[in-house]
Amino acid sequence: MFRAVLLSRVSSPMLPLLTAVLFQKKEREDTGLYHQRREKHPYYNLAVKVLRARNIKGTDLLTKADCFVQLQLPTASPNADRTQVVDNSSNPEWNKTFQYRIHEPVKNMLYLTLFDEDFFANDELTSVVFDVEGIKPGKPIKRTFQLNPEDQEELDVEFYLKKCSDAPTEVLTNGVLVAHPCLSLQGVINKDEKLKLSEKGSCQVKLSVPGAYEKQLCIPCRPDSDEDFRTPFVFHVDKEMCPELEVELEQSINILQDEITSDIEKHSMLLGQGTVPVKSLPVGQEVDMTIPLGKGHSLDLSVKAEESTWDLDVRLSFDLCEEEKKFLDKRKKMASRALMKTLKLKDAPGKDEVPVVAILGSGGGIRALTSLYGSLSGLQQLSLLDSTMYLCGISGSTWCVSALYKDTDWSHKDLQGAIGDARDKVSSSKAGAFSSERIKYYIQELKSMQNDGRKVSFTDLWGLIIQHFLHQKDDPSKLSDQQKAVRRAQNPYPIYAAISVRHNFRRDDFTEWCEFTPYEVGFRKYGAFVRTEDFGSEFFMGHLIQKHPEARMCSLMGMWGSAFAASLDDVCLKTVGSGLSFLESLKDIIKVIDDGQRLHFQDCSRLKTRLIIPGGPILQIFQDIFTSRVTSWETFNFMNGLYLHKDYVKNRNFLAWKGTHLDAFPNQLTPMVDSLYLVDGGFSINSPFPLVLQPERDVDVILSFNYSWEAPFQVLLLTQKYCEERDIPFPQIILSEDDVKKPKECYMFTDDKNPKAPIVLHFPLVNDTFRKYKAPGVERKSEDEKSFGDFVIEGKDSPYRTLNFTYEPHDFDRLVEVTRYNVLNNKAILLKALNLALSRRKLKKGNGL
């Protein structure tokens, strides 16, 4: 059995965007939570014989195609293989066989790309993405891929799989990601008296291991010098790739070009090269060797290969981290006492009966920051803060949350103090942020970040500006410092949201949620997390390779709340309500075609063959211009070197069945790239629902505070769609026309048929009864009181526009008071939700669930 995808004539950079895989969408298998575990799997030898192609039309109108086929199987080899070129032929024949050693637990996807060789650049004609899983060992299988049915273009390839004699080995996996043992190759170059070099230049040794984390190392050496140049080197490699240490000896010769000006031109000359198979080195023993480099040259090395332990620095699990579990145990005791008092219960609920309540603050810049202070103040006044487990922020709300957690006991203090401090900062002038003195400070800080090994981007600069806006002083704090604020479970557990994106991908096509907490940062989609202190350091194959200082909060705040991290398509979508529609006309025409074989083996993850007809070469140019995010926050990818498990698509977080979604291409997914590109989560769902809807957190009640004015229910509708695609329980969002035209202060959504669905209380940002009442049941009487409550939040002249970072004190107070009032005025519905959640918990406990 096999799976394949066909990609028609398209330039190489567009391959991820234009490829597509069709899964039959079935009810998903409940595989449960995958925890880190060991599995032992065999190896197989895969022979791929590229036979011939027929009726190929090249890109040159005057001559026939000059075809060759490139093969890429990145889970088995870091290098691309290729056939020879068959010149001027519409029916090229190669009959070339390529050998690969594959490991069973990983998703092995082979790319077969047909090129037309050109003098200036090779033109990519068609690509086939082939899933080798399901091929039966011991029997050759020939496949004819229909590249273009209309022109009868075809590619014949033969596959042969057989069991490998190598003994099965263990991997570490959580069911989605796979970690192989990492090999550390350490060595030194010893001085070699046999090297004879020209006096006109210098010599350098180039070392590399294809597929290693470290790139090519260039080590200068002068064997005729009296100095000892025992230069150390290290490579971290995946031994499953059967890597080789490649050595090149190169001499740079200085040639005088002009005797008058003494201009020197440097030329490099290869003196010799050699290789050492890493597999041949005994693990744990230092080996002295002489590598012949040809032409009478050789190089003396001392090399030692060390295999890593299974004690990974990346946590592979979908469960909560131990620190969060301990927090919940402590917090539920506090919440139990708070609920008994608030709900006037006779007895305090047991730990298993305490409902998990999460507060969600949406995006909206300074408007969100200001409004969240008011909402939290209202909850505090109702004595409900101690009943909540989580406080989650996205975009502008993260600015409020991060400010609160500087105080380790903030939720037990009157929030009026914190609100007053925020009022002073928001109403102050921001001109100082752009003074010449401040600009010099930004430059120094960015240089310092770069010197620490960080990848520096515009988002770091934006974070420094936001730091000045919100604090007007330097803030050295880090996210891990907030551990002090939750160690005793004295405050709700903070979770900050960002999304991982790709360059040249529209936001709607591919985003992945990344969560930040005081203890861990990670992707619950992949079940991969690292300690917050280590985020931003360099990892490979699950191990910490190079430690870098933890990023300061200002950089994270710049990334969490970057109003400028959008592509032009995003900006258009935000400003006019739709994306750049002309891009749709340039999209590829996608056709689902049969692969010509009768497949009797049914597999929910089997990929069907798809034919992609490209929109044209202009597509690449427009996508680069309109969908790139040059201001995303780039950092090292801690999943680098991990592979996708062969059954990863069974996890509900993957949408491999959905159209052109990147999830169907494991070779293109996040673990296979070097860097993460993170942006403001508001460019996806403008509220951090996905971070609390995972079953591990078992949230019963969600208090959703929405601070966007143009679409008061959009976050709910987008979340509903998100949950439907992933089979996550969520109540149906049913709204009337009156609700859409004139939203009320609070809405309660439940699913009585599915108690696993959370109870959602949604608070749109509205000024409704606050105009008449200064407190619940207390009418405004004086003209000043009426004037204070009579204001419009929305509108083009509103002071609360998203890109406005300075409010008048009067406007700040109004916004805080209306959001506080909206909470206080809905005390009854808040208590109703808590009582319902408590009843559900007791029922679940009684049923042994």
Side-chain angles (χ1 to χ4, degrees), residues 261-318:
T261 61
S262 299
D263 288 341
I264 298 294
E265 181 173 331
K266 292 187 177 181
H267 291 268
S268 295
M269 180 173 62
L270 182 64
L271 300 179
Q273 55 188 359
T275 60
V276 178
V278 175
K279 195 175 182 180
S280 67
L281 300 174
V283 176
Q285 298 180 24
E286 185 170 322
V287 178
D288 294 326
M289 62 176 61
T290 299
I291 304 176
L293 303 178
K295 300 180 182 178
H297 295 291
S298 62
L299 193 68
D300 287 344
L301 298 178
S302 296
V303 185
K304 184 178 181 181
E306 292 280 3
E307 187 170 303
S308 65
T309 66
W310 283 124
D311 187 16
L312 300 186
D313 299 303
V314 176
R315 185 172 70 88
L316 297 180
S317 175
F318 292 89

Side-chain angles (χ1 to χ4, degrees), residues 9 57-63 65 116-118 123-125:
R9 293 181 175 87
K57 293 184 177 180
T59 56
D60 194 331
L61 299 178
L62 300 179
T63 62
D116 183 2
E117 188 180 54
D118 187 77
D123 297 316
E124 183 179 325
L125 302 180

Side-chain angles (χ1 to χ4, degrees), residues 359 369-386 388 391 400-424 490-492 705 707 812-813 816-817 819-820 823-824:
I359 301 171
L369 174 146
T370 306
S371 300
L372 185 55
Y373 274 115
S375 300
L376 293 174
S377 179
L379 292 173
Q380 185 183 62
Q381 202 167 327
L382 293 176
S383 301
L384 291 178
L385 273 185
D386 284 346
T388 62
L391 175 55
C400 172
V401 178
S402 59
L404 286 171
Y405 280 83
K406 292 180 184 300
D407 185 338
T408 57
D409 291 291
W410 70 267
S411 64
H412 296 277
K413 299 178 180 178
D414 190 341
L415 278 177
Q416 292 309 304
I419 291 172
D421 184 62
R423 179 181 185 264
D424 293 340
Q490 67 269 41
N491 301 303
F705 294 102
Y707 305 127
F812 180 91
D813 293 340
V816 168
E817 289 305 315
T819 53
R820 187 204 325 259
V823 171
L824 296 176

Side-chain angles (χ1 to χ4, degrees), residues 77 136 139-140 144 154 306 468 478 540 614 621 631 659 805:
S77 172
K136 294 182 179 179
K139 183 180 179 181
T144 297
E154 297 175 334
E306 292 280 3
H468 186 81
K478 301 176 177 64
F540 184 62
I621 299 172
T631 56
F805 292 91

